[in-house]
Amino acid sequence: MKTIDTIIFDLGGVLIDWNPEYVYLDVFNGDRKKMQWFFDNICTHDWNENQDAGYPLQQATEERVALFPEHEDLIRMYYGRWVEMLGDAIEGTVDILKALIERKDLKVVALTNWSHETFPIALDRFDFLHWFEGIIVSGEEKTRKPFKEIYDITLNRFNITAENAVFIDDNLRNINAAKALGINGIHFENPNALINELNAFNINF
């Protein structure tokens, strides 16, 4: 059995609910097909992830408007109403985080793909973000998951040994990238499943 001394949490989708549907489903009058077309073709996941790697939100918005001027209002909503896309804490996972930190024998840090321009909003809203020993924010580092560089930054900054760490993320792509570097991974699905996965690493509650 490996000795695990570090837990690395992703934030969005694991501890914090974030979803652009909270804005756009209403804007599209409940028409999921039209909304999905917009996400697949205009304000895409890849486009948003570029901002997670530090690209300026205003510049990204203006460039997208120039490409798709007929969708200008919808494009400007993406970051103009971003705060409305930020949902609640995922309380079951917050409870797990609290229990892990209270153990005192584990280093608990976070690694998130998040724009450095919007992350302060989350820091103000969620007290538990201040519990971590540290947080690697992709926008501040100018790189993001699943690129090797951001995992190396995390390991080096917090003096983590890869094989002694467990990384929790809701995106399997990011887990696979971590595993390629020797970091143990848990693909997050829900808090109850997370407890079972942690138990498998001999981390019990």
Side-chain angles (χ1 to χ4, degrees):
M1 178 67 67
K2 296 175 181 177
T3 300
I4 301 301
D5 59 21
T6 303
I7 309 294
I8 307 169
F9 274 90
D10 174 38
L11 298 179
V14 175
L15 283 156
I16 298 170
D17 179 24
W18 178 85
N19 196 328
E21 288 190 11
Y22 294 149
V23 168
Y24 284 99
L25 191 58
D26 183 56
V27 169
F28 283 102
N29 298 311
D31 190 329
R32 287 191 170 274
K33 187 175 181 180
K34 286 183 178 179
M35 179 184 68
Q36 194 58 51
W37 182 91
F38 178 77
F39 291 151
D40 288 344
N41 295 278
I42 309 299
C43 288
T44 66
H45 179 72
D46 287 346
W47 174 74
N48 180 58
E49 279 206 320
N50 194 45
Q51 283 66 268
D52 285 346
Y55 200 74
L57 303 187
Q58 185 64 38
Q59 187 174 345
T61 299
E62 297 305 330
E63 290 171 353
R64 191 93 336 191
V65 168
L67 280 174
F68 305 104
E70 68 276 21
H71 298 291
E72 178 174 1
D73 289 347
L74 291 171
I75 293 167
R76 293 193 185 282
M77 283 179 195
Y78 201 94
Y79 295 117
R81 296 180 60 183
W82 182 91
V83 70
E84 298 173 52
M85 303 176 189
L86 194 59
D88 296 329
I90 300 172
E91 292 297 344
T93 319
V94 175
D95 291 341
I96 293 169
L97 171 65
K98 186 172 187 290
L100 292 171
I101 290 173
E102 287 177 347
R103 284 173 56 117
K104 306 296 185 186
D105 63 336
L106 293 170
K107 182 181 297 182
V108 184
V109 301
L111 168 57
T112 184
N113 279 0
W114 206 306
S115 166
H116 63 291
E117 295 181 59
T118 57
F119 191 64
I121 298 169
L123 278 175
D124 286 343
R125 182 176 295 188
F126 301 107
D127 287 343
F128 62 81
L129 292 179
H130 301 275
W131 300 351
F132 290 101
E133 184 166 324
I135 301 175
I136 300 295
V137 178
S138 61
E140 295 173 359
E141 306 300 334
K142 302 297 187 284
T143 184
R144 61 170 175 82
K145 298 173 287 184
F147 300 122
K148 178 179 182 294
E149 183 181 5
I150 201 162
Y151 297 96
D152 289 338
I153 289 169
T154 305
L155 296 175
N156 293 331
R157 188 164 301 168
F158 300 121
N159 193 28
I160 298 167
T161 301
E163 57 264 32
N164 294 338
V166 175
F167 175 51
I168 303 162
D169 197 299
D170 64 318
N171 189 324
L172 188 58
R173 174 201 69 180
N174 298 336
I175 291 295
N176 289 337
K179 286 182 175 180
L181 298 174
I183 304 168
N184 301 287
I186 293 176
H187 182 210
F188 179 83
E189 296 178 343
N190 60 68
N192 287 335
L194 176 57
I195 290 172
N196 292 332
E197 295 268 17
L198 287 168
N199 287 344
F201 285 102
N202 205 31
I203 300 170
N204 302 302
F205 298 87

